Amino acid sequence: MSLPFTLPLLFIFAGAAFATGPAVVIEKITVDGAEQRPGDDGILHLPPGTHRLDFAIRVVEGESAVPMRVRATLAGFETDWKEVSGQMALEAQFLDAAGVVTGGQRFPCSGMTPGMLATWPRTPLIRRREPLLVPAGSMALRLILTSGAPQTTGRLLLDELTVNSPGGGLRADQDLWRNSGFSSFPDKDQGPEATPDRWQRGGSRPEMARVASGNVGTAIAIEDDDPAGAAQWISEQPLEGNVTPGETLSLSWQTAWQVNPGTRHLVTYHDVGAGDFEFRVAAIALTGGWTGASTGLRVQVARHLWERPWFWPLVAGSVTALLGGAGLLLWHQRMQRRLERLAAQHALERDRARIARDMHDDLGARLMRISLLTALTERELSAGDNPAALVHTEQLSGLARDVVAAIDEIVWAVDPGNDTLDHLGTYLCRFADEFLAGSHVRCRFGIPPILPALPLGAEVRHNLFLAVKEALNNILKHAGPCEARLELHATTGVLYIDITDHGTGFPAAAGLSGNGLRNMERRLKDIGGECAVTSGADGTKVSLRWPIPSSSLPCTPSPL
Amino acid sequence: MHTITIVEDDAGLRDSLALLIQGARGWKLTGTHASAEAALPALTRHPPEVVLMDINLPGMSGIECVHRLKESVPQVLVLMVTVYDNSDQVFAALAAGASGYLLKRDVPSRLLDFLQDILNGGAPMSSHIARQVVRFFHNQGRAKKETDDLTARERQILEGLAQGSLYKEIASELNIGVETVNTHVRNIYAKLHVRNRTEAVLKFLQSR
């Protein structure tokens, strides 16, 4: 959604910027929890390994005291600029029969809408219209108008909220949301403290959620003037069979806002590995205009000879099994040459993309030939009468398949093109499909097709994947013929992955000491998550939990 | 005899595939090509019934090749073969008009059955591709022509596939025949094809 900004306003902001000199400064740098300073050359030098970087940013507004938004990027690590300052938002959440969130979306508000006035009555409203996909099992829709993080202050108004179903034929005009114009108030005489029918207040300072009267009648608003508190308007309404899962609803509302993002922000990056990066941060006007205030810092992370400890040994191991010692020697030389080239390159991301490509093209094609030739040999042998040779070629063929599958996993894990939650969801689906194909276990998925745009580093992604694989392997080994279910959802700052089966289960005591389960626990612990296993007569449930770092929450482009 | 042509850049793999086809009953190999550029003119002049196409080709990619081939010879059936199961590439190839895809590691055991299934009008769709299709239509919004949007029934079927249901399970749940499910999936592919201007798919994949 884009809106024309008002040119005169931009001039005022730009003028103010030059007169008073606003600035943005990096106040403090924390690396893996300890404060660090750049070296004499102005560059932040870090030892090999992956690091967590926290930059504390302060905006100096200058004499004009005009609030500014802040965007930042770590060039070489990501390609986009992220909004790091606070946003207000309208959030939509779908709930199932038990009240568990099945999916949803957040529509953020940054800066201000054109023509914002100090009081609501004659403030011009804009209309936003957004598609909303209904996830499976959704029974109710919850809408939350929120003032966001505590330090964010400002004002946000909402009116004429409608939800309809454009795909539903006859129901195209029917509004699925009751009291959409906020006309029904049981206690209208309460003024700003009134509560519209079906809505309630929330947050640490609920009284900042108010009722506004304006040029279009009454509406709900949040007037947040407390940098230490937040408020919400919340409403939950049943969908009552009016919509079908997979259908796209149209959510439409009138709104106006002015969001003051505050002056102190924290930008966090996880899993920053070897490479040469530049952290850049800039303050922009609420309307999106450039203020000229920006700063930057170069960050260099030294590189290990072996960039990922699990990577080459796994490749070498797989290849040894197939090609034996001589092949290993040749491969080793090639690896050495590649490693030298690796060391010469700067961006870790580029390295990873290239490795994935190399593995794909070179190694994959050769292994495939082995597999195909084996199949041909098998066919020729079966014409004659040599059962022993037939068994051997079958084994060889199976081995080649396994190696290609193992490399498939590595290629997926290292390719930076896969660094999102959605890619993890897609990959888990197809992995489970293939892993359990032809077995006695049927797998069902509860993975929403639309997942939040959450960046997931290779390490987190790979550990989560290996834990799921371990769980599926356990089902294959212990559960007997049964149905398994793989569920993934990300809500309230936590990523949940549950693998359930309704098989025979396995004794908890024996199970928990098993290698597989210990591996799962370790993998989740490595990335700061948790793993719990419950097993009973009616099956086993493996629950993986990973807290989503706040810095990787999705940043949707602002409408201005 | 059904006619088939192979487009594969790796010489060894190409020969092995050719051997496999030549040894199979009911199939006639009408040509092998090492690149999309070399294959396109020949395929357009004398189209076979089926083309076995590698996704990763030097120069013009297999995906682009499908796109152009289907424009000039819409009736040709294209089966993509790929070493790794890269969802994004496979999705792009299906959106460009391919009829199915097979992992190279499954070629020895499943190729001939798969070819037969496609010739009989089968439209395979695995759960992860179904997810991509749902997302793609969601991101594209409404089509100019209403007939290019998915129907409620088609969305129901996609939902089922994304949850890992088999065609026969979907058929019995919706009280329709497996053939009808196949027809719906074929229609979904056709709509995907209509909605796919190549840029739309690329933009969608980049946005993930």
Side-chain angles (χ1 to χ4, degrees):
Chain A
M1 175 159 187
S2 81
L3 290 161
F5 53 78
T6 45
L7 204 56
L9 201 60
L10 184 70
F11 269 113
I12 295 166
F13 277 101
F18 287 124
T20 57
V24 48
V25 290
I26 302 172
E27 280 200 317
K28 185 177 169 187
I29 307 157
T30 316
V31 180
D32 303 323
E35 187 171 355
Q36 289 257 357
R37 289 174 192 285
D40 294 337
D41 53 1
I43 299 174
L44 180 65
H45 294 280
L46 299 176
T50 54
H51 303 286
R52 174 196 160 120
L53 308 181
D54 298 283
F55 298 94
I57 308 298
R58 188 162 60 88
V59 178
V60 182
E61 291 170 348
E63 291 158 27
S64 68
V66 175
M68 284 177 285
R69 291 151 65 187
V70 176
R71 287 186 179 168
T73 186
L74 186 60
F77 184 76
E78 59 185 355
T79 51
D80 295 336
W81 287 73
K82 285 193 294 209
E83 178 99 25
V84 299
S85 42
Q87 298 172 323
M88 295 194 177
L90 176 65
E91 293 174 359
Q93 296 177 343
F94 286 98
L95 311 172
D96 66 11
V100 176
V101 177
T102 53
Q105 236 164 307
R106 177 185 160 93
F107 307 106
C109 312
S110 306
M112 61 193 278
T113 48
M116 267 299 289
L117 298 171
T119 53
W120 292 118
R122 285 186 299 115
T123 292
L125 303 182
I126 59 165
R127 180 161 284 280
R128 288 181 75 172
R129 190 185 301 276
E130 303 281 353
L132 209 53
L133 185 98
V134 184
S138 303
M139 301 296 287
L141 176 62
R142 180 194 286 157
L143 293 175
I144 306 170
L145 189 70
T146 170
S147 69
Q151 76 267 21
T152 311
T153 59
R155 304 182 305 143
L156 171 60
L157 179 134
L158 177 134
D159 197 5
E160 297 295 325
L161 178 91
T162 61
V163 179
N164 49 45
S165 161
L170 286 175
R171 306 195 312 266
D173 297 335
Q174 186 186 336
D175 191 1
L176 302 174
W177 192 261
R178 270 152 302 220
N179 195 15
S180 58
F182 302 101
S183 48
S184 167
F185 284 89
D187 54 353
K188 197 157 188 166
D189 53 326
Q190 298 285 315
E193 275 82 47
T195 308
D197 205 12
R198 295 172 191 277
W199 285 83
Q200 62 185 73
R201 292 176 167 85
S204 59
R205 292 277 315 273
E207 69 277 17
M208 297 192 300
R210 299 167 77 79
V211 167
S213 345
N215 47 351
V216 287
T218 45
I220 56 168
I222 293 181
E223 300 186 17
D224 184 340
D225 52 6
D226 179 359
Q232 297 174 340
W233 273 114
I234 304 160
S235 179
E236 191 177 312
Q237 297 194 12
L239 295 170
E240 280 169 5
N242 283 324
V243 295
T244 34
E247 152 171 41
T248 303
L249 300 178
S250 170
L251 177 66
S252 165
W253 68 100
Q254 298 254 57
T255 185
W257 68 77
Q258 174 193 11
V259 176
N260 177 358
T263 58
R264 281 170 199 275
H265 311 287
L266 187 68
V267 196
T268 302
Y269 296 95
H270 294 265
D271 296 330
V272 179
D276 197 346
F277 310 100
E278 185 167 8
F279 176 67
R280 295 192 207 120
V281 54
I284 53 174
L286 290 187
T287 46
W290 176 244
T291 64
S294 74
T295 185
L297 175 71
R298 269 183 76 191
V299 180
Q300 282 182 345
V301 183
R303 88 181 29 253
H304 276 306
L305 184 58
W306 305 88
E307 198 48 65
R308 294 258 178 237
W310 47 265
F311 176 61
W312 293 111
L314 186 50
V315 173
S318 308
V319 174
T320 320
L322 190 74
L323 300 181
L328 178 66
L329 213 66
L330 264 171
W331 175 244
H332 212 86
Q333 283 169 358
R334 292 184 58 123
M335 279 198 315
Q336 285 294 349
R337 276 204 301 280
R338 263 184 215 161
L339 270 176
E340 281 160 21
R341 271 186 282 150
L342 267 181
Q345 290 189 6
H346 286 288
L348 174 63
E349 299 252 315
R350 271 213 312 273
D351 285 353
R352 285 166 52 198
R354 198 180 50 74
I355 292 166
R357 211 168 45 237
D358 280 1
M359 302 270 295
H360 184 285
D361 296 350
D362 276 27
L363 197 55
R366 280 175 222 201
L367 283 165
M368 256 345 290
R369 270 192 74 189
I370 293 175
S371 163
L372 272 171
L373 287 171
T374 318
L376 288 169
T377 317
E378 222 169 277
R379 197 163 68 190
E380 278 153 26
L381 280 172
S382 63
D385 185 23
N386 194 341
L390 203 56
V391 169
H392 287 149
T393 50
E394 260 167 31
Q395 285 171 345
L396 192 53
S397 168
L399 193 57
R401 267 187 64 95
D402 291 350
V403 176
V404 180
I407 291 171
D408 194 0
E409 283 165 28
I410 300 170
V411 166
W412 174 78
V414 296
D415 189 346
N418 295 326
D419 279 354
T420 70
L421 177 62
D422 183 57
H423 279 96
L424 178 68
T426 305
Y427 189 76
L428 289 181
C429 263
R430 77 169 150 93
F431 175 79
D433 255 348
E434 206 188 326
F435 188 70
L436 301 174
S439 77
H440 46 263
V441 181
R442 278 279 293 121
C443 194
R444 310 251 171 207
F445 304 105
I447 303 182
I450 317 274
L451 286 163
L454 180 73
L456 276 190
E459 202 174 343
V460 170
R461 214 156 37 87
H462 197 232
N463 276 307
L464 287 173
F465 162 70
L466 288 173
V468 171
K469 183 179 172 185
E470 196 78 61
L472 291 175
N473 201 28
N474 267 329
I475 295 177
L476 206 53
K477 279 203 308 224
H478 301 291
C482 66
E483 200 168 283
R485 186 164 171 80
L486 173 58
E487 278 171 279
L488 180 152
H489 54 115
T491 38
T492 59
V494 180
L495 176 63
Y496 299 83
I497 303 180
D498 292 325
I499 308 105
T500 331
D501 71 70
H502 299 294
T504 48
F506 44 96
L512 283 170
S513 65
N515 254 338
L517 296 174
R518 264 210 309 275
N519 277 343
M520 283 193 284
E521 277 166 4
R522 186 176 51 80
R523 295 206 176 282
L524 266 290
K525 214 176 139 212
D526 280 356
I527 55 172
E530 285 169 22
C531 165
V533 182
T534 48
S535 188
D538 57 342
T540 304
K541 177 173 183 176
V542 175
S543 309
L544 311 177
R545 301 279 176 271
W546 182 67
I548 299 165
S550 54
S551 65
S552 48
L553 284 173
C555 272
T556 330
S558 79
L560 281 171
Chain B
M1 289 286 254
H2 299 294
T3 50
I4 186 165
T5 294
I6 298 168
V7 188
E8 162 70 63
D9 63 309
D10 186 283
L13 261 181
R14 193 169 58 239
D15 293 347
S16 306
L17 279 170
L19 273 172
L20 194 73
I21 299 282
Q22 281 163 343
R25 214 168 297 152
W27 289 94
K28 180 167 179 258
L29 185 67
T30 51
T32 60
H33 302 279
S35 72
E37 288 83 352
L40 266 179
L43 290 173
T44 318
R45 234 183 355 260
H46 302 293
E49 282 168 85
V50 182
V51 178
L52 220 52
M53 176 104 60
D54 187 15
I55 283 196
N56 282 297
L57 290 170
M60 188 195 299
S61 77
I63 296 164
E64 180 66 29
C65 188
V66 178
H67 191 66
R68 298 201 189 180
L69 185 61
K70 291 293 273 192
E71 261 174 18
S72 47
V73 199
Q75 78 277 13
V76 70
L77 297 171
V78 186
L79 179 61
M80 305 305 288
V81 281
T82 170
V83 177
Y84 299 112
D85 197 349
N86 180 323
S87 293
D88 286 355
Q89 282 190 339
V90 167
F91 174 73
L94 292 171
S99 299
Y101 78 101
L102 196 57
L103 297 179
K104 282 185 185 168
R105 72 185 97 132
D106 290 331
V107 163
S109 55
R110 295 182 52 196
L111 176 66
L112 299 174
D113 289 344
F114 213 89
L115 286 172
Q116 203 55 52
D117 191 32
I118 286 188
L119 279 180
N120 294 342
M125 184 182 284
S126 45
S127 57
H128 63 100
I129 297 297
R131 287 191 76 222
Q132 301 257 68
V133 176
V134 172
R135 280 180 58 92
F136 178 77
F137 276 93
H138 176 71
N139 279 31
Q140 290 296 295
R142 315 280 302 161
K144 287 206 188 87
K145 283 199 323 212
E146 205 171 295
T147 47
D148 292 342
D149 282 320
L150 297 179
T151 63
R153 181 43 62 91
E154 284 162 356
R155 286 201 221 115
Q156 246 172 339
I157 288 172
L158 274 177
E159 188 81 26
L161 289 173
Q163 287 168 5
S165 300
L166 304 173
Y167 281 34
K168 59 177 184 217
E169 290 169 343
I170 293 174
S172 79
E173 191 178 316
L174 300 181
N175 235 334
I176 53 178
V178 177
E179 268 318 299
T180 317
V181 177
N182 245 314
T183 309
H184 280 301
V185 177
R186 258 205 318 277
N187 289 341
I188 293 169
Y189 274 131
K191 287 177 182 179
L192 182 63
H193 196 171
V194 169
R195 298 289 293 274
N196 162 44
R197 289 141 303 171
T198 310
E199 322 86 77
V201 169
L202 290 181
K203 212 175 136 207
F204 160 70
L205 290 173
Q206 275 158 11
S207 74
R208 297 179 70 212

